[in-house]
Amino acid sequence: MTPRQGGVSRRWSALALSGLAAGVLTGVPPAQAADSGPVPAACPAGLTARAACYTGQDANGAPYAIALPERWNGSLVVHAHGGPDLGDASDPARSTDDLARWSVMVEEGYAWAGSSYRRGGYGTRMAAADTENVRRLFVSAFGRPRKTYVHGQSWGGDVAAKVVETYAAPRGPYDGALLTSGVLAGGSRGYDYRVDLRVVYQYYCRNLPRPTEPQYPLWQGLRPGSTLTTAGLRARLQECTGYASAPRDRTALQQRNLDDILAVTGIPERTLESHLRFSVFTFRDIVHERLGDRNPFSDEGVRYTGSHDDTALNTGVERFSADPTARRDLSYDSDLTGRVSIPVLTLHAIGDPTAFVEHEAAYRAALRGFHRDKYLVQTFTSETEHSELSDAEYAGSLAALDAWVRTGRKPTARSIAGSCASFDRTYGTGCFYRPGFRPSSYASRVQARPGGLRWPAMTARQERAWSRIEGVGIAP
């Protein structure tokens, strides 16, 4: 589809042409003073000669990337990336890589701005603030867009949903939100299946830690000072389950361990390693780096089923309860109240092996709990990937959201599916919508902890009360 009316101002076009040597989007932006303003940079290959691109760093040290189409339609998409990426420092390439990944939005005529966030590690409110900051930087440099949409992918879906609840008040700067493959159950419940994986894995494998190694409670992810690497983790997973081997090359014990772990947790075999990495390395970040070694997780009250011996499993699996203040801080940082006042459109693959499609049921329940589900339209596709959905679907979703905002006419899953073919004539990536699909409850896929069946996980009243507590949440 050809981008619509408008164009990049001559001043910024000239600046881009004269300053391409200042930075290259496919690499790390050049060193510059904090909040120095956008610096011209070369665009990703797919956008060469179709947009002017810029990089910069905001006042908090968060790198960002911006793209302005040559035929700009006057509106802006502010992007929140997934992850979280771990480590103390932010990766400047993250925002530029995401620009290349979602260049379809620029090809559709929208300006695009994305932050890499000020640091690595967990922090949903921090990431939401950095996303809002890059919007303000765009406005300062290029003027106020006609419409502004926030897009979030994966954990970035939670970040973007937090942007909606925090910054998108009526007559605020955001007009709509597109949440794709979102981790929308929030932090206090959205990782329970990884808590289950962590304890079930250790029951069967007993190598994380080994009996000969220093012991630690599994909710820590890893003990402080551990030097375990992702390669080391893969080796232990292979040792226990033979997951990387053909079934004929696994021992009988490896196959039984693998079968039991998958059956009990419901995690797909092809993403077993990535979920285990999260339950080890990201849990370590959450517990040690963000919550001062307090435990936000629990598996009390969970009855594990599906193994070859459920009685032995439930007798032997490690049990623990959350520290109430740690759970509060994780909830305040990342749970959603459902307080929405702008149109929100979601897109999710039914076979998503990472952020299960039941996250969408949790989000709808949260909005319904705040009586705001009238602002929500959810769409689902028969795809089986987490991060790479069809460009035709991304383009059609954005167009549907834009039309909803401009006309006030709420689309349906069926109308969005019906319009996809016109976008696919341009992108040729296919349309896989299932407009009649509705996900089952979150508890149908993830075992609820006591009190975990009511949504939202954090009420607006709780959020207000907690906001008055000094130091609540996760520090930026």
Side-chain angles (χ1 to χ4, degrees):
M1 174 170 286
T2 303
R4 296 183 286 278
Q5 82 269 13
V8 181
S9 69
R10 292 182 179 179
R11 179 172 72 90
W12 286 106
S13 294
L15 181 58
L17 292 171
S18 65
L20 286 177
V24 178
L25 281 180
T26 53
V28 177
Q32 51 193 301
D35 201 10
S36 60
V39 173
C43 289
L47 295 177
T48 301
R50 303 181 69 176
C53 296
Y54 309 87
T55 57
Q57 180 176 286
D58 73 12
N60 294 315
Y64 62 84
I66 290 172
L68 211 57
E70 289 294 330
R71 299 173 64 186
W72 184 24
N73 65 17
S75 293
L76 169 67
V77 173
V78 184
H79 174 77
H81 78 67
D85 299 333
L86 301 182
D88 293 334
S90 175
D91 178 8
R94 184 59 193 254
S95 58
T96 59
D97 289 346
D98 277 1
L99 171 56
R101 188 175 177 186
W102 279 282
S103 61
V104 59
M105 297 179 179
V106 182
E107 292 172 19
E108 285 296 299
Y110 293 86
W112 189 97
S115 172
S116 292
Y117 311 149
R118 70 190 72 179
R119 61 159 171 79
Y122 203 87
T124 306
R125 286 182 182 268
M126 173 203 72
D130 291 342
T131 301
E132 164 63 2
N133 285 343
V134 78
R135 183 201 65 81
R136 295 181 183 184
L137 282 163
F138 180 94
V139 171
S140 177
F142 303 101
R144 184 173 297 277
R146 295 174 187 172
K147 301 293 180 185
T148 300
Y149 303 113
V150 60
H151 168 241
Q153 166 73 21
S154 188
W155 176 60
D158 189 36
V159 173
K162 186 67 75 173
V163 169
V164 170
E165 294 191 358
T166 306
Y167 302 104
R171 298 188 180 90
Y174 294 93
D175 299 286
L178 175 61
L179 312 179
T180 59
S181 308
V183 181
L184 299 175
S188 73
R189 299 178 187 172
Y191 305 129
D192 280 346
Y193 51 95
R194 288 163 171 161
V195 173
D196 295 338
L197 172 61
R198 189 70 179 87
V199 298
V200 170
Y201 174 87
Q202 182 63 7
Y203 171 78
Y204 289 112
C205 299
R206 304 191 186 282
N207 65 6
L208 197 61
R210 301 183 191 279
T212 56
E213 295 175 328
Q215 303 297 293
Y216 54 88
L218 298 180
W219 51 262
Q220 290 186 348
L222 276 177
R223 64 178 175 84
S226 172
T227 58
L228 183 73
T229 63
T230 55
L233 179 64
R234 285 194 295 269
R236 295 187 188 212
L237 179 59
Q238 172 68 11
E239 170 191 291
C240 176
T241 68
Y243 82 107
S245 301
R248 65 178 179 276
D249 296 326
R250 296 169 186 155
T251 68
L253 180 58
Q254 285 177 327
Q255 188 64 60
R256 193 179 76 173
N257 287 341
L258 182 60
D259 290 344
D260 279 341
I261 291 168
L262 298 179
V264 172
T265 64
I267 288 174
E269 183 174 347
R270 66 192 176 106
T271 52
L272 176 60
E273 181 202 332
S274 65
H275 284 291
L276 187 61
R277 283 202 314 268
F278 195 104
S279 75
V280 172
F281 298 111
T282 305
F283 278 16
R284 175 175 63 179
D285 176 80
I286 291 172
V287 169
H288 294 310
E289 302 299 330
R290 313 302 159 201
L291 295 176
D293 292 309
R294 293 172 296 143
N295 173 28
F297 304 121
S298 171
D299 65 344
E300 291 290 349
V302 176
R303 169 75 183 172
Y304 296 108
T305 61
S307 73
H308 76 278
D309 187 342
D310 290 345
T311 299
L313 171 62
N314 284 280
T315 300
V317 75
E318 182 175 320
R319 301 286 183 176
F320 42 79
S321 297
D323 177 320
T325 65
R327 192 160 187 84
R328 176 204 66 197
D329 286 352
L330 182 60
S331 179
Y332 180 77
D333 181 75
S334 59
D335 283 344
L336 302 169
T337 66
R339 190 180 64 250
V340 169
S341 57
I342 61 173
V344 177
L345 176 63
T346 73
L347 172 66
H348 214 120
I350 296 169
D352 189 327
T354 299
F356 302 148
V357 72
E358 288 80 8
H359 276 273
E360 296 287 341
Y363 190 56
R364 176 171 285 278
L367 267 65
R368 186 181 294 120
F370 200 72
H371 308 292
R372 296 296 177 89
D373 50 320
K374 68 180 181 180
Y375 291 105
L376 179 65
V377 172
Q378 294 176 299
T379 63
F380 303 95
T381 74
S382 60
E383 291 159 289
T384 57
E385 297 302 323
H386 172 59
S387 298
E388 297 290 344
L389 304 182
S390 165
D391 277 355
E393 293 165 358
Y394 286 125
S397 296
L398 195 52
L401 177 64
D402 184 61
W404 182 8
V405 167
R406 292 177 183 274
T407 67
R409 292 192 294 271
K410 186 177 180 179
T412 65
R414 195 164 299 279
S415 70
I416 294 170
S419 69
C420 183
S422 63
F423 295 93
D424 199 42
R425 284 194 287 271
T426 296
Y427 295 103
T429 53
C431 298
F432 306 97
Y433 285 102
R434 291 273 303 277
F437 177 82
R438 289 290 292 268
S440 298
S441 69
Y442 189 69
S444 72
R445 184 69 180 263
V446 181
Q447 296 228 39
R449 277 56 177 164
L453 293 176
R454 296 187 62 182
W455 298 88
M458 173 181 63
T459 66
R461 178 177 294 181
Q462 283 176 317
E463 183 183 41
R464 286 193 299 271
W466 289 344
S467 70
R468 301 186 186 103
I469 300 173
E470 184 176 357
V472 72
I474 291 176

